[in-house]
Amino acid sequence: MNLRKQFKKASVSSDMLDKQKRYETLVQALHGDIYRYAYWLVKDKAVAEDIVQETFLRAWKSLDSLKDEKAAKSWLITILRRENARRFERKQFDLVDIDDVSISDDQLTHEVEIEHRELRKIMASLTEEYREPLMLQIMFGYSGDEIAAQLNLNKNTVMTRLFRARSQIKEALEKSNDNRERKNG
């Protein structure tokens, strides 16, 4: 019986050492790439370091689920993207009605101020299905893939909505300029 306990203890510590070696190899091989991707994604050194740390912590916890070592990089990138998304889930943004916001800049001419006001009004008048992806792209700098992931949509759907949103804005601005020219001319 004593021999059985010793064998079990040796087996558990051997498994733990194997896992630790796999993990250390994974970190040494991919840490630089994962950090560069995180920095590219968030454009902030401290936030990128935090996300990478959380990514590797989650990787350690679920290392047994990684069956193919060749897929390790994409596996880690997926974990990293989910960690980045979790940052926004935790963060509660104060929402402000876009019509109530006015940005003042003394250097802007009166005409530019009018154009900005018109543009905000046109953007606010877009339906939510077009306004939301456009705002994610303009305000947060998200790519089509990131917007698709954020909104649970197909990338092609996102790209179509972005195109249509820009087209609607362009048409509305052209119509507004035509009306202004008629009044002035």
Side-chain angles (χ1 to χ4, degrees):
M1 192 140 164
N2 194 11
L3 186 61
R4 189 180 298 161
K5 284 183 182 180
Q6 286 177 347
F7 178 74
K8 189 174 182 180
K9 197 181 256 187
S11 173
V12 169
S13 64
S14 172
D15 289 345
M16 195 63 154
L17 283 174
D18 289 344
K19 181 178 179 180
Q20 186 172 353
K21 285 179 184 176
R22 276 182 69 203
Y23 179 74
E24 287 173 0
T25 303
L26 185 74
V27 171
Q28 288 173 354
L30 298 174
H31 185 273
D33 291 341
I34 298 301
Y35 174 76
R36 278 189 293 280
Y37 180 72
Y39 184 77
W40 172 84
L41 193 64
V42 299
K43 308 218 182 346
D44 183 307
K45 184 179 178 183
V47 174
E49 289 170 353
D50 288 345
I51 292 174
V52 169
Q53 186 175 5
E54 286 297 320
T55 298
F56 280 106
L57 177 64
R58 287 191 185 272
W60 168 257
K61 290 177 180 176
S62 60
L63 190 60
D64 295 332
S65 69
L66 178 63
K67 303 298 180 202
D68 183 8
E69 300 296 324
K70 294 175 187 170
K73 190 172 188 176
S74 60
W75 179 67
L76 286 170
I77 286 173
T78 300
I79 295 172
L80 185 134
R81 290 180 68 228
R82 288 180 181 155
E83 276 306 307
N84 186 45
R86 280 187 191 91
R87 278 187 326 130
F88 296 103
E89 288 173 2
R90 290 182 221 127
K91 195 171 198 173
Q92 295 295 320
F93 293 103
D94 293 331
L95 300 178
V96 177
D97 189 358
I98 198 164
D99 293 331
D100 295 339
V101 175
S102 65
I103 300 173
S104 63
D105 186 351
D106 296 336
Q107 296 177 350
L108 291 178
T109 64
H110 181 66
E111 187 175 314
V112 173
E113 287 179 17
I114 291 171
E115 288 175 2
H116 284 189
R117 196 174 316 127
E118 283 180 46
L119 183 59
R120 283 195 304 270
K121 194 175 190 180
I122 291 167
M123 289 173 73
S125 71
L126 292 173
T127 61
E128 187 174 336
E129 70 178 328
Y130 296 129
R131 185 177 59 241
E132 192 171 18
L134 186 65
M135 289 299 166
L136 287 172
Q137 186 180 54
I138 293 171
M139 304 282 283
F140 297 109
Y142 283 179
S143 69
D145 289 328
E146 292 168 328
I147 295 169
Q150 192 77 19
L151 300 178
N152 271 345
L153 296 171
N154 181 315
K155 181 183 176 189
N156 292 335
T157 303
V158 168
M159 300 311 285
T160 299
R161 288 181 182 182
L162 288 171
F163 176 80
R164 289 179 181 166
R166 284 190 211 100
S167 296
Q168 288 178 14
I169 290 171
K170 183 179 176 184
E171 286 175 20
L173 286 173
E174 287 172 354
K175 192 181 294 183
S176 175
N177 285 339
D178 289 345
N179 289 339
R180 196 177 310 135
E181 286 175 8
R182 284 189 197 134
K183 287 179 184 177
N184 293 336

